[in-house]
Amino acid sequence: MRFATIEDGTRDGRLHLVSRDNSLCAPSRNAVNLQGALEEWDAMEPKLRIEYDLLNAGDGIPFDPSRALAPLPRAWQWLDGSAYDSHVELMQTAFNLAPIDNGGRPLMYQGLSDRFYSSVANVRLPSEDDGIDFEGEFGIILDAVQMGTNAVQAREHIRIIVQINDWSLRGLGAVEMKTGFGWISAKPACSMAPVAVTPDELGPYWRDARVDLALALDWNGARFGAANGYSMSAGFDELIAHAAYSRDLVAGTVLGSGTVSNVNFREIGSSCIAERRAIEILDFGTPKTEFMKFGDRIRMEATLPDGTPLFGAIDQQVVRG
Amino acid sequence: MRFATIEDGTRDGRLHLVSRDNSLCAPSRNAVNLQGALEEWDAMEPKLRIEYDLLNAGDGIPFDPSRALAPLPRAWQWLDGSAYDSHVELMQTAFNLAPIDNGGRPLMYQGLSDRFYSSVANVRLPSEDDGIDFEGEFGIILDAVQMGTNAVQAREHIRIIVQINDWSLRGLGAVEMKTGFGWISAKPACSMAPVAVTPDELGPYWRDARVDLALALDWNGARFGAANGYSMSAGFDELIAHAAYSRDLVAGTVLGSGTVSNVNFREIGSSCIAERRAIEILDFGTPKTEFMKFGDRIRMEATLPDGTPLFGAIDQQVVRG
């Protein structure tokens, strides 16, 4: 199934089913919003599947992604992993830092969740001097997960897959990281692509609790990277088990992969500017690529390999706050 | 004004006014829950004040704190400072670590906000081996704060003051801190005392955006500490300005002071076990006090200096998860 959340004046928006080719949509007759659907997913899913079949038979109205909010315009929890070792190792090497060790467990931080920007929203930020950067990621949305859930059990709770831009302010990130407290100023609200999908929509490209698809990024119209999501050192199932060690995860928890990155970053490019700058430091001794300026656009989209649209595109501008 | 949230089967509970001596309560006729009240505080406050006056004239039912949920049973955002330098410096010294520097800005982390335990809830945690600890804190709850709000403007947004127990797993805390990503496993859900109050309820003991009251902690019935809340190196106003640098703060954001600590910790005791252990390391070369065991109780209460109840007590047990 595919979902979008259309603006209706409420904070959580109105849940719509979206057809398999992203051309049509229809408001759900069974669930008002995605948060509500996730809170009673087992009872809701068969009803939504009937609606989805009707929609795919043509019973809908044209879907306009520019009218969509984030699939979850706000969530009770946003946890972001950093599961691509090629990214983590590259950053540490470029900045002459020791390898990061979380006692063998995945890397993860807690981010702000009370707002996810739509795919077309202008993103207001305070200053170009902060090192404005994008981070292309995949994410999952869970139904309720009990404390102590293991990675095998965790797979049953992966209900929705989304595509995320995790906005980052690099000038503040390194300073905050050194405190050990994680990021506050360096991690403003994230954005989500307009269409959220159930794992079966990916067919064979959802495997081992990972998204085996390329995430294409274009910065001001120029291709910046197209790394594949599969190479996570810990799959989403393991990220869930880690997150649930000492807490229940509320239905609607959003969990991110971290910046998508592959070992052949020199050929396929990067999913954030900081990674390209780290490569430049290794190659030239100094970074050459500057961070984003106000007015810059970033576009991100992962489709199926045959070009069939999936999440739709994030395509947005950063503006002076 | 004083508020409590009484269980009514909904996730956010039912907002009640509580009388000035915490003896009576009455369901609000104007606001269903505290989150709703905070979202339209300017319009709601005068109506609630009329209700509060009626209640203080005797028009209520007995208030039973054991029936109260956390004043905000869930929040869209929980940010916790670490504003008591005596605590931070003591911990760093005891563990031979360099001073923490956030570029001159306050220390703060983003915690899980989808659940705050009630003052009497049993707190389930996975293992005694994780170093189970309490942290006595004061907190504030905000109405909506725009990105870029400065510390002077911030004071107008401090609508509610609460008392918090920030549960912590110390065995995991140090490891997670070294990653720079902040805490996930080491920071389970927090608890709140039953009564939330407006700043005027503190009279002269709310000054400089700080709580000038002692927070008394009893661990299994024995006094553990009674540090005063005033000595924050950054007041709540400055914590707000820091938090709002690159994000809007949603109405209902909860902001914590960090473990209350005073420079004379040897006389007045500590608000968490980790701090006492740090003192023991300095004094004896090794910690002597063990962390909590399942079945242990922790009680925390700050009253006005004349003994008038304020937030009520947190008095709860930690149990096997």
Side-chain angles (χ1 to χ4, degrees):
Chain A
M1 287 182 286
R2 300 180 177 213
F3 300 100
T5 295
I6 303 296
E7 180 141 34
D8 70 344
T10 71
R11 283 194 182 76
D12 296 303
R14 184 71 176 90
L15 184 65
H16 282 56
L17 282 291
V18 176
S19 63
R20 191 163 285 120
D21 61 357
N22 289 8
S23 71
L24 297 178
C25 69
S28 172
R29 292 162 211 172
N30 288 288
V32 175
N33 55 51
L34 185 55
Q35 177 64 37
L38 288 160
E39 287 173 4
E40 41 181 334
W41 187 261
D42 286 337
M44 197 58 78
E45 187 182 12
K47 298 178 195 171
L48 293 171
R49 292 233 172 248
I50 292 169
E51 296 193 56
Y52 188 54
D53 290 342
L54 286 168
L55 177 62
N56 282 315
D59 187 12
I61 56 172
F63 172 56
D64 175 3
S66 73
R67 283 188 56 230
L69 303 172
L72 268 188
R74 58 179 180 175
W76 289 106
Q77 181 161 238
W78 157 237
L79 296 169
D80 196 10
S82 183
Y84 296 93
D85 285 357
S86 53
H87 172 74
V88 177
E89 289 165 12
L90 181 58
M91 301 292 283
Q92 296 301 103
T93 305
F95 296 103
N96 272 317
L97 300 170
I100 301 178
D101 178 18
N102 191 19
R105 289 166 311 198
L107 290 171
M108 187 176 290
Y109 73 90
Q110 182 121 24
L112 88 87
S113 64
D114 62 78
R115 169 187 292 183
F116 284 90
Y117 289 110
S118 81
S119 61
V120 296
N122 285 344
V123 173
R124 296 182 307 116
L125 289 172
S127 170
E128 289 177 349
D129 296 337
D130 291 332
I132 301 169
D133 200 356
F134 45 81
E135 283 196 6
E137 306 198 2
F138 295 107
I140 56 170
I141 311 181
L142 306 172
D143 63 3
V145 175
Q146 287 202 328
M147 186 167 80
T149 294
N150 66 34
V152 174
Q153 297 162 334
R155 291 192 181 198
E156 302 301 312
H157 297 286
I158 302 173
R159 300 308 191 178
I160 300 285
I161 306 175
V162 291
Q163 184 194 303
I164 290 171
N165 180 9
D166 174 28
W167 288 98
S168 298
L169 302 179
R170 303 298 181 184
L172 302 163
V175 181
E176 292 192 323
M177 210 170 163
K178 278 186 202 150
T179 67
F181 280 56
W183 300 284
I184 300 289
S185 301
K187 289 289 185 182
C190 299
S191 310
M192 276 189 198
V195 182
V197 308
T198 49
D200 56 292
E201 291 289 327
L202 275 66
Y205 305 102
W206 172 250
R207 60 188 184 94
D208 306 325
R210 291 158 170 87
V211 177
D212 188 10
L213 294 170
L215 179 57
L217 283 85
D218 299 283
W219 177 15
N220 292 333
R223 177 57 42 98
F224 191 78
N228 181 292
Y230 183 74
S231 58
M232 296 166 81
S233 55
F236 280 113
D237 48 354
E238 294 163 280
L239 295 184
I240 295 168
H242 173 62
Y245 173 73
S246 59
R247 62 179 69 178
D248 299 322
L249 305 179
V250 68
T253 291
V254 187
L255 216 158
S257 64
T259 316
V260 177
S261 175
N262 298 160
V263 288
N264 58 336
F265 42 73
R266 285 173 204 282
E267 290 83 60
I268 51 142
S270 297
S271 303
C272 65
I273 302 171
E275 186 177 296
R276 177 178 282 188
R277 285 167 59 92
I279 297 166
E280 291 167 346
I281 289 171
L282 292 182
D283 289 354
F284 311 114
T286 183
K288 295 180 177 295
T289 306
E290 295 191 8
F291 289 111
M292 294 180 88
K293 304 293 179 199
F294 293 133
D296 278 10
R297 294 199 76 85
I298 179 68
R299 187 184 193 283
M300 304 183 174
E301 183 173 12
T303 67
L304 291 172
D306 66 2
T308 304
L310 193 60
F311 308 104
I314 291 173
D315 190 353
Q316 61 186 168
Q317 206 167 15
V318 62
V319 299
R320 190 180 303 275
Chain B
M1 287 183 285
R2 300 180 176 214
F3 300 99
T5 295
I6 304 295
E7 180 140 35
D8 71 344
T10 70
R11 284 194 181 77
D12 295 304
R14 183 71 175 91
L15 185 65
H16 282 56
L17 282 292
V18 177
S19 63
R20 191 164 283 119
D21 61 358
N22 288 7
S23 71
L24 297 177
C25 70
S28 172
R29 292 162 211 171
N30 288 288
V32 176
N33 55 50
L34 185 55
Q35 177 64 37
L38 288 159
E39 288 172 4
E40 40 180 336
W41 187 260
D42 285 337
M44 196 59 78
E45 187 181 12
K47 299 178 195 170
L48 293 172
R49 292 232 171 248
I50 292 168
E51 296 193 55
Y52 188 53
D53 290 342
L54 286 169
L55 177 61
N56 282 315
D59 187 12
I61 56 172
F63 172 56
D64 176 2
S66 73
R67 283 188 57 228
L69 303 172
L72 267 188
R74 58 179 180 174
W76 288 107
Q77 181 161 237
W78 157 237
L79 296 169
D80 196 10
S82 184
Y84 296 93
D85 285 356
S86 53
H87 172 74
V88 177
E89 288 165 12
L90 182 57
M91 301 292 283
Q92 296 300 104
T93 306
F95 296 103
N96 272 317
L97 300 170
I100 301 178
D101 177 18
N102 192 18
R105 289 166 310 199
L107 291 171
M108 188 176 288
Y109 73 90
Q110 182 121 24
L112 88 87
S113 64
D114 62 78
R115 169 188 293 184
F116 284 88
Y117 289 110
S118 82
S119 62
V120 296
N122 285 343
V123 173
R124 297 181 306 115
L125 290 172
S127 170
E128 288 177 348
D129 297 337
D130 291 332
I132 301 170
D133 201 357
F134 44 82
E135 282 196 7
E137 306 198 3
F138 295 108
I140 56 169
I141 311 182
L142 307 172
D143 62 3
V145 174
Q146 286 201 328
M147 187 166 81
T149 294
N150 67 33
V152 174
Q153 297 162 334
R155 292 192 180 197
E156 301 302 313
H157 297 285
I158 302 174
R159 299 310 191 177
I160 299 283
I161 305 175
V162 291
Q163 184 194 301
I164 291 171
N165 181 7
D166 174 29
W167 289 99
S168 298
L169 302 178
R170 302 297 181 184
L172 303 162
V175 180
E176 291 192 324
M177 210 169 163
K178 277 186 203 150
T179 66
F181 280 56
W183 300 285
I184 300 291
S185 301
K187 289 289 185 183
C190 300
S191 311
M192 275 190 199
V195 182
V197 308
T198 49
D200 56 293
E201 291 289 325
L202 276 66
Y205 305 102
W206 173 251
R207 59 187 184 95
D208 306 325
R210 291 158 168 87
V211 177
D212 187 11
L213 294 171
L215 178 57
L217 283 85
D218 297 284
W219 178 15
N220 292 331
R223 177 56 43 97
F224 191 79
N228 181 292
Y230 183 73
S231 58
M232 296 166 80
S233 56
F236 280 113
D237 49 354
E238 294 162 281
L239 295 184
I240 295 168
H242 173 62
Y245 174 72
S246 59
R247 61 178 70 177
D248 298 323
L249 306 180
V250 68
T253 291
V254 187
L255 216 158
S257 63
T259 316
V260 177
S261 175
N262 298 160
V263 288
N264 58 335
F265 42 73
R266 287 174 204 281
E267 290 83 59
I268 52 143
S270 296
S271 303
C272 66
I273 303 172
E275 186 177 295
R276 178 178 282 188
R277 286 166 59 92
I279 297 166
E280 291 166 347
I281 289 171
L282 293 181
D283 289 353
F284 311 114
T286 182
K288 294 180 177 297
T289 306
E290 294 190 9
F291 289 111
M292 294 180 87
K293 304 293 179 198
F294 292 133
D296 279 10
R297 293 198 76 83
I298 179 69
R299 186 183 193 285
M300 304 183 175
E301 184 173 12
T303 67
L304 292 172
D306 66 2
T308 304
L310 193 60
F311 308 104
I314 290 173
D315 190 352
Q316 61 185 168
Q317 205 168 15
V318 61
V319 299
R320 190 180 302 276

